[in-house]
Amino acid sequence: MEAHDSAVSAIVTSVNARDCPCPNTTPTAPLSHVLQINTTTKTVLVEPNVPMNRLVQATLKHGLVPPVVMEFPGITVGGGYARMSGESSSFKHGFFNKTVNWVDIVLADGEVVKASPTERWNLFEGAAGAVGTLGIVVLLEVRLIEAKRFVETTHRRVESDVDYVDGLLFKLDLGLVITGKMTDEVTVGVPIRSFSRSGDPWFYMHAKHIALDRYDRGGFWVGDSIFKYFHLPFNRLTRKLLDYYLLTRTLYACLHASGFSNPYVVQDLALPYSTTSEFIEYADKEFGIYPLWLCPLRQDTVQAFYPHNKTLNEDGSLKPMLNIGLWGLGPLNDIAFLKKNRGLEDMLRKLGGMKWLYANTYYTEKAFWEIYDGEWYGKLREKYQATSLPSVWQKVHSDAEKETKAIEASWWLWFLFFWPVGGLHGMHHVWKGKKEEVAKRGLADVVEVRT
């Protein structure tokens, strides 16, 4: 723990040296280790910059796995807590933050405190999803569950005794529900399928023809864009040749570097089941983007920045919600794109839904705090000396007009929009960082194992 303590001490020193501390410029990069795996308590002490694939690799060696594993391997543990994550096991375990026992946080005044459901519970709940605006998370204890050799997936209409469930909607009247159950045995007659090798079909392709990093290759289905942009055939050979660019980390880095990320709609939305049909019909008419990802979400408590709805079951528990992933190319015209996204936010609010705050957010400041309980958040910031930090709205708000002016003022950003300049630049950009990226995929070093 000496290296960890030293890294935290450097963060405290950095925070104390600022009149206006800012997490974006605080040295958190060294916090990238799995510190301890306890096989008796089934917990792991992990620093926030550890990507989920490295955490899973480390815990699987001891027959354990986190209950909620984010689909994209590059999402970090700290990001899953501070940025909110719900996945195919969230119908059973809730959001990722519900699998965290406690966190250590460096407050804006340099004090290091522990927060949990029983100690500073309001900070523990508030920091989840607050994108680092209440302090800097430097350590987390995450619960683990027993792992199995396989996940047996089933395509069916209804299933109850399962560990994972999500769905895909290929068009308005054609969809598929996928359930998964951890198992050490292979059912007779059921083939073992992999979706992680370069020659494998992407998971959504397999599901369309009959579905834990199932969606990494191809970034769900956003990877189609590379083939369409370069007018390439979409087959096993071309997917194998472009495989490096089709992993989530490199795919999204390439997309951003190319300048073509701006017209993409990348939104995760959660709605009550009672209004999902109306929303899907709206999305079909206004966007026409398919497939849609469907993922049921368990609600335990109402948290300000996590998607929630206060509708109750007869027993007084909160009703589950449905996560709808809307990911695809939107209008190329900036004005039309902004209008579509603001219309999406208005419809979401009308139907009792909320959005993930990792995505572009166009709400005015007033509208945002009406949705995300600005009064409660303001009191929490005052209590934990966080008023000098940027607010959540300041960190997630997208100023579309400012972005358009920046593009118009830069000849290089303007030049990127000429085919195929942007695409080639994006591919060159990620190729330069290939050695560094490969290194990041290595196994996490575990400092200590307890039994």
Side-chain angles (χ1 to χ4, degrees), residues 45-61:
L45 283 182
V46 57
E47 293 177 323
N49 283 339
V50 174
M52 287 304 295
N53 66 321
R54 287 177 53 206
L55 177 61
V56 171
Q57 289 168 343
T59 61
L60 277 179
K61 291 193 293 185

Side-chain angles (χ1 to χ4, degrees), residues 256-291:
H256 284 285
S258 71
F260 281 92
S261 61
N262 289 343
Y264 271 81
V265 177
V266 182
Q267 299 282 350
D268 271 284
L269 317 150
L271 295 101
Y273 278 83
S274 59
T275 61
T276 52
S277 294
E278 185 176 350
F279 179 82
I280 289 173
E281 290 174 359
Y282 163 82
D284 175 76
K285 178 181 177 181
E286 294 296 325
F287 292 91
I289 292 174
Y290 287 101

Side-chain angles (χ1 to χ4, degrees), residues 54 95 99 102 125 139 159 183 185 187 199 223 247 258 262 306 314 338 347 364 427:
R54 287 177 53 206
F95 291 98
T99 69
W102 53 262
E125 296 285 338
L139 186 64
E159 176 64 45
T183 178
E185 306 295 333
T187 302
L247 296 172
S258 71
N262 289 343
Y306 271 70
E314 292 183 0
L338 180 60
M347 178 57 70
T364 64
M427 296 181 76

